[in-house]
Amino acid sequence: MIFAYNNPETDEYGWQEHWGVKFKWTPEHLTPKDLEPLIHTYDTVATEAVKRLDEISPPSYSRELLKEPSDVPLAEKRPRRDLYELLQKHAATDEKVRRLWSEINFVPSWVDWAQIERGQKVFYRYGGPAITAVSKPELEKILVETLDRTGGFSVEVVRRCLLETTQHTLNVTRDLKSIKPGGDGFVDSVRVRLLHASVRRRIMNMSETNPGYYNTKAFGIPINDLDCIGTINTFSATVIWMGLPRQGIWLRRQETADYLALWRYVAYLMGTPHAWLSMPESARRMMESLLVAEIKPSPASARLANNIVAGLQGQPPTYASRDFLCAQTHWLNGRELSEALRVERPSLFYFGLVLGQCILFMALSYANRSIGYLDERNIKLVRKALNKVLLHDKSMGGLGYTTKFNFKYIPSFDKPSTELGAALTKMPKRLGRVERTALISLVTTATLMCVLSTWICLKVARWLGN
């Protein structure tokens, strides 16, 4: 059933199902009408600060909007600026810039550093399945309209874009020093906030020049509060109640509260409404409300989802085939949503491989978290491995550099949308690294079950024979 809750504006409360997720709709849930005002509100503090920084140090693309004649390519117009450094430099002299600087460096009273540190450990305790969960294509309906115009999800650059997002995720979860003011995770969060403000200003300026480019009445302000809530939800509540459970892993209640506390502080740094993350119950209701209101696949979201699959196909460090990535998408998103995103359904063999991967994740996760020594050791190893493989070591498929989240994928009238692209590499002739590991896990599990079943049958036969 794709949309069992056919009329979320009514008072017909009770158990419902949406995109394969069953939940109890209550008066505390937010209907699409309740959420609609959030598409017209946005992070004004960062937007006003970036406007002032644009006046102090104009971006290289500004001449295009002003239609200044120039024979100099945009990339060579002036050195690429660093908005975070500009923010630091002018915080003492400009009121609007100072307002943003003061806000991000103020630590709210609800922040509990010990709890946030525990939340960081939750991510690495379930590192493999957590990374898998946040990488799945889903895409909220209104956010897609902005992403479609930036070009950041074209098949040529989507892998790099995802790795840059992974840098942010790994830095905010690395350790307490990293997320505190001045740390790498803190700085990444502020840089992403400044990037969002730049994209928002760019698209709004373009829509003023050409009203048909972006329909603010229908889609709201670009990168609005609802978009930002949806993004934080993808890395927090969706991981807890969808991504991990669909891989056979359920967090303990304290782990849930700790992980949400971490992402509440990240949301605060990024200028996103965050009160809904204060309690597990309200976070889950928000996730379910967004499922009803925001997950509405469109041709644009289908293109972006397929570009993610094509961009990752055959690429290091996993070298996964398209069939395996499609099976993983169906497993994590469900059949209805995956079909709506036009992600093809592969053979049962690849679903078997995904099952094998889930069994491996479950075995490692539950075993390690049950023993204190193994848990701490596993967290350290996973943290080190993910940072090396995904960020530092380019030879293993990592990003290979530290991104400053500059405004690289710039919307233009020439490319109003992102095209559906073809895979950059051919389908591998043999199973990729992740597939071979999953197959070994599946075969090992099947063998152990056969041995156990045989042993039980022999015991029962001997008992009956006596």
Side-chain angles (χ1 to χ4, degrees):
M1 184 179 294
I2 294 180
F3 195 11
Y5 196 61
N6 295 311
N7 187 8
E9 303 294 341
T10 69
D11 293 329
E12 297 176 4
Y13 305 116
W15 288 99
Q16 310 293 341
E17 182 177 351
H18 193 81
W19 300 116
V21 180
K22 295 181 180 179
F23 54 89
K24 190 174 184 179
W25 190 267
T26 69
E28 286 75 32
H29 281 77
L30 299 174
T31 66
K33 185 176 181 180
D34 295 329
L35 292 170
E36 194 272 340
L38 290 172
I39 72 173
H40 302 293
T41 58
Y42 60 98
D43 177 14
T44 56
V45 175
T47 301
E48 291 176 358
V50 169
K51 181 180 179 181
R52 284 293 298 125
L53 294 176
D54 284 349
E55 294 169 355
I56 295 169
S57 175
S60 59
Y61 56 80
S62 61
R63 69 175 175 84
E64 180 187 338
L65 280 179
L66 297 174
K67 301 189 183 302
E68 297 174 355
S70 175
D71 296 327
V72 181
L74 285 175
E76 300 177 12
K77 183 68 177 178
R78 56 175 61 88
R80 179 172 287 170
R81 59 184 188 155
D82 187 323
L83 276 178
Y84 184 80
E85 290 182 359
L86 288 173
L87 177 67
Q88 281 183 303
K89 181 178 179 180
H90 296 284
T93 57
D94 186 273
E95 180 182 352
K96 291 183 178 179
V97 177
R98 180 170 58 250
R99 183 184 175 191
L100 174 58
W101 184 252
S102 299
E103 179 181 296
I104 60 177
N105 283 282
F106 174 76
V107 180
S109 59
W110 46 262
V111 170
D112 180 340
W113 293 120
Q115 184 179 38
I116 286 178
E117 186 175 29
R118 293 196 303 270
Q120 292 175 315
K121 290 183 177 181
V122 168
F123 181 83
Y124 292 104
R125 179 174 295 131
Y126 309 102
I131 285 288
T132 302
V134 299
S135 301
K136 67 183 178 68
E138 186 177 275
L139 306 172
E140 288 80 4
K141 64 173 183 179
I142 295 178
L143 181 58
V144 164
E145 297 300 327
T146 300
L147 293 174
D148 192 34
R149 286 164 172 79
T150 64
F153 274 63
S154 66
V155 73
E156 295 83 8
V157 300
V158 66
R159 179 177 176 274
R160 185 169 70 230
C161 185
L162 291 175
L163 285 174
E164 290 179 349
T165 301
T166 301
Q167 174 189 302
H168 178 217
T169 304
L170 295 184
N171 280 345
V172 300
T173 56
R174 186 199 305 161
D175 54 37
L176 205 51
K177 180 181 178 181
S178 183
I179 192 61
K180 284 186 174 182
D184 290 342
F186 171 91
V187 173
D188 279 359
S189 298
V190 179
R191 288 189 190 278
V192 172
R193 182 175 182 177
L194 295 170
L195 173 62
H196 288 173
S198 297
V199 175
R200 182 184 303 117
R201 277 180 41 76
R202 169 73 172 181
I203 293 179
M204 289 300 294
N205 288 338
M206 293 176 68
S207 66
E208 289 177 6
T209 303
N210 179 4
Y213 176 74
Y214 183 90
N215 189 340
T216 55
K217 185 176 181 180
F219 305 134
I221 302 295
I223 313 186
N224 52 61
D225 283 341
L226 188 58
D227 291 336
C228 295
I229 288 172
T231 300
I232 294 295
N233 172 71
T234 297
F235 290 88
S236 56
T238 300
V239 171
I240 295 170
W241 288 295
M242 288 180 62
L244 292 180
R246 287 182 172 181
Q247 297 176 82
I249 297 168
W250 284 264
L251 299 189
R252 295 166 290 196
R253 181 169 179 82
Q254 187 60 57
E255 289 178 315
T256 297
D258 295 341
Y259 190 68
L260 291 174
L262 165 65
W263 284 101
R264 184 183 183 188
Y265 183 54
V266 174
Y268 168 78
L269 294 177
M270 295 178 66
T272 301
H274 53 77
W276 58 279
L277 288 161
S278 61
M279 297 289 290
E281 293 78 12
S282 58
R284 184 163 189 169
R285 286 196 296 269
M286 178 61 79
M287 180 198 75
E288 293 162 352
S289 299
L290 291 174
L291 272 175
V292 171
E294 285 296 289
I295 306 301
K296 297 184 183 297
S298 65
S301 59
R303 288 197 305 273
L304 299 187
N306 277 277
N307 281 354
I308 292 174
V309 174
L312 296 179
Q313 174 187 322
Q315 297 292 327
T318 62
Y319 298 95
S321 66
R322 180 177 182 86
D323 286 332
F324 182 81
L325 293 170
C326 289
Q328 203 169 62
T329 300
H330 276 260
W331 192 284
L332 295 175
N333 280 345
R335 179 176 180 176
E336 293 86 359
L337 181 54
S338 298
E339 289 180 349
L341 291 171
R342 301 176 187 173
V343 176
E344 63 266 27
R345 185 177 177 85
S347 66
L348 289 176
F349 172 73
Y350 288 95
F351 281 104
L353 293 183
V354 176
L355 173 60
Q357 178 179 264
C358 291
I359 292 171
L360 178 61
F361 285 158
M362 290 168 60
L364 294 175
S365 298
Y366 288 125
N368 286 320
R369 85 177 191 184
S370 301
I371 304 172
Y373 165 73
L374 288 179
D375 187 38
E376 289 298 325
R377 181 173 176 271
N378 175 65
I379 288 170
K380 292 178 181 178
L381 288 175
V382 172
R383 181 190 291 123
K384 182 178 180 180
L386 289 180
N387 277 273
K388 179 180 180 180
V389 173
L390 297 179
L391 297 186
H392 305 312
D393 195 334
K394 193 171 184 178
S395 66
M396 298 181 69
L399 187 60
Y401 62 90
T402 300
T403 180
K404 293 186 176 180
F405 297 98
N406 292 312
F407 195 1
K408 294 183 289 189
Y409 311 115
I410 301 173
S412 68
F413 292 125
D414 296 333
K415 294 188 70 175
S417 63
T418 300
E419 297 178 353
L420 178 65
L424 301 178
T425 58
K426 296 181 179 180
M427 289 285 287
K429 295 181 180 179
R430 61 177 184 174
L431 295 178
R433 183 179 300 166
V434 67
E435 293 161 293
R436 293 196 300 271
T437 303
L439 181 60
I440 292 171
S441 172
L442 184 64
V443 171
T444 301
T445 302
T447 301
L448 290 175
M449 291 182 65
C450 287
V451 171
L452 180 61
S453 299
T454 302
W455 181 80
I456 292 174
C457 289
L458 290 173
K459 284 288 185 181
V460 172
R462 182 176 299 176
W463 178 77
L464 292 174
N466 295 333

